[in-house]
Amino acid sequence: PTPHVDGGPPLAAIAAALAAASCNAEVFFVDKFDDLSKWTQSKAKEDIAAFGHGAGKWFGDEKVQTGMTTPDDMRFYAASAKLSKPTTTRGKELVVQFSVKHEEHKYAFCGGGYIKLLPSSLDPATFSGDSPYHIMFGPDMCGYDTSLIHLIFNYKGDNLLKTDKIDLDYADKNEFTHLYTLQLFPNDTFAVYFDMEPKANGTLLEGWPYPKPTMADPEDTKPEDWVDEKKIDDPEDKKPEGYDDIPKEIADPDAKKPEDWDDEDDGEWEAPRMPNPEYKGPWSPKRIDNPAYKGEWKPREIANPKYEEGVQLGAFDDVGAVGFELWIVNNGTVFDNVMVTDSLAEAFKHAEETWKPFVEKEKEAKAAWDKEHPSEDSYAGGDDDEYDGEEDEDAFGDDGEEDGEAKKDEL
């Protein structure tokens, strides 16, 4: 039987879709990054750096694995590309897929790797963290504290973060190329895949803070006689007689007066103090179950006026562009093989051609690189000497941007 992950679409249906021909699939955007002609560099801020073009220091196939790169440390990056044909998620499936290689990944690595789905009205020249978007999806890593796959939906102007994070496991975080796939269904269920394997799924209503069908009645108040203490002091328990007379410390009975001690010169000798093994601390009665306990009080549930029954939460009528808007601490990230389609089968077919054949070859290339560069810490970020070649400089035909004070754009 085909496995099933609780809370989301059955994988049997997914397997059937992949087995079927994808001749009816519609592709709204695809870029293998032979060049950066589809992408427009943002000019929204002076400190936005220019993306580069290359495959990194090591690769399984340089031509196939060439992508859009982040050549500089401690910089903002922002670039967008218009879809060949705007689409909608209203009443139809949407699949977004791309690969990310954090070549300089190490324990202290810090950098975003997420993509944004944007409206057609986007002005590429002003694209920034303030630009409205429909969906944000992809990895975000920063040291030990942040290690997850973002999946954020815009709802009536608010960007809703997932209630439970989609965590990246330890084995998911390394310097190799990984594939991220989002499948969004018109019935407001979703599936996230990592390297073509299921990572998370469920419903938008349950997984994000959308208005729920019911809500706590703000007019309901806890009754004055409501008892919500689970435990009480045992009224039958009494303090033992003489309990408070037990000292906290006593003289050490094993201590002996030094032979050379002179009471006249040294004063009267006293044995050092030690914790009293008989002392048990301040007395308190034992706790017992409260027979009057009524449970935790909760206000009654009423119909939520903000809930809209039958409305597709993940409906976006104008998906017209994609973009990367990121804060990068460590250089060396490579984005590649971006696809927006309405078919998971088509997306996975693309991955079978552009990503999967090079998984093992990339590891072999990394091992060869390490062998050829034994003196280099290939995991450390910030060393651009090998990475910054002509292929990565001025990939958009610009002279670059001046360095400015970098501040991470908080979501």
Side-chain angles (χ1 to χ4, degrees), residues 187-358:
N187 65 350
D188 282 335
T189 60
F190 78 98
V192 169
Y193 298 85
F194 177 80
D195 290 348
M196 301 178 70
E197 295 293 331
K199 190 69 171 176
N201 58 24
T203 70
L204 270 64
L205 184 63
E206 295 174 352
W208 283 262
Y210 289 99
K212 303 299 187 282
T214 62
M215 58 176 285
D217 185 355
E219 302 298 326
D220 194 16
T221 57
K222 183 168 68 174
E224 293 183 1
D225 60 350
W226 188 273
V227 179
D228 52 12
E229 289 183 284
K230 296 182 69 173
K231 298 284 186 178
I232 60 171
D233 293 342
D234 184 357
E236 303 298 327
D237 193 18
K238 305 298 181 184
K239 184 192 298 184
E241 187 175 346
Y243 186 93
D244 291 337
D245 297 331
I246 301 173
K248 187 176 182 179
E249 293 182 340
I250 59 173
D252 185 352
D254 295 325
K256 302 297 183 182
K257 181 178 179 180
E259 294 181 0
D260 59 351
W261 187 274
D262 188 316
D263 288 344
E264 184 175 339
D265 293 337
D266 301 326
E268 183 179 356
W269 180 82
E270 294 183 358
R273 309 292 288 175
M274 61 172 285
N276 185 357
E278 300 296 324
Y279 179 73
K280 299 179 181 179
W283 183 85
S284 60
K286 65 182 180 182
R287 304 283 285 174
I288 62 173
D289 292 335
N290 186 355
Y293 176 65
K294 295 184 178 181
E296 181 183 355
W297 183 85
K298 294 181 180 179
R300 63 175 173 264
E301 291 286 312
I302 61 173
N304 186 351
K306 294 184 179 180
Y307 175 72
E308 299 174 290
E309 187 174 3
V311 172
Q312 183 183 345
L313 299 174
F316 302 105
D317 291 322
D318 177 28
V319 180
V322 291
F324 291 101
E325 183 274 316
L326 311 159
W327 163 250
I328 296 292
V329 173
N330 305 100
N331 73 73
T333 297
V334 182
F335 298 99
D336 201 2
N337 296 309
V338 177
M339 173 175 275
V340 181
T341 179
D342 60 1
S343 167
L344 183 67
E346 183 69 18
F348 276 10
K349 177 183 176 183
H350 184 70
E352 291 280 358
E353 299 170 354
T354 60
W355 172 77
K356 197 171 184 179
F358 309 102

Side-chain angles (χ1 to χ4, degrees), residues 101-119:
K101 174 188 180 186
H102 290 308
E103 191 173 73
E104 299 294 346
H105 183 275
K106 60 178 182 175
Y107 291 117
F109 175 85
C110 194
Y114 36 80
I115 196 169
K116 292 182 176 181
L117 270 66
L118 305 154

Side-chain angles (χ1 to χ4, degrees), residues 8-71:
L11 298 186
I14 296 171
L18 293 178
S22 60
C23 59
N24 294 324
E26 190 170 6
V27 176
F28 308 105
F29 182 84
V30 63
D31 195 355
K32 298 180 181 180
F33 290 93
D34 295 331
D35 54 40
L36 299 185
S37 59
K38 295 182 180 181
W39 298 82
T40 301
Q41 171 74 29
S42 174
K43 301 295 183 182
K45 299 177 181 178
E46 291 185 357
D47 58 350
I48 293 180
F51 280 103
H53 186 235
K57 297 176 181 177
W58 39 266
F59 33 77
D61 185 303
E62 183 174 12
K63 181 178 180 181
V64 176
Q65 293 190 286
T66 290
M68 190 163 68
T69 66
T70 57

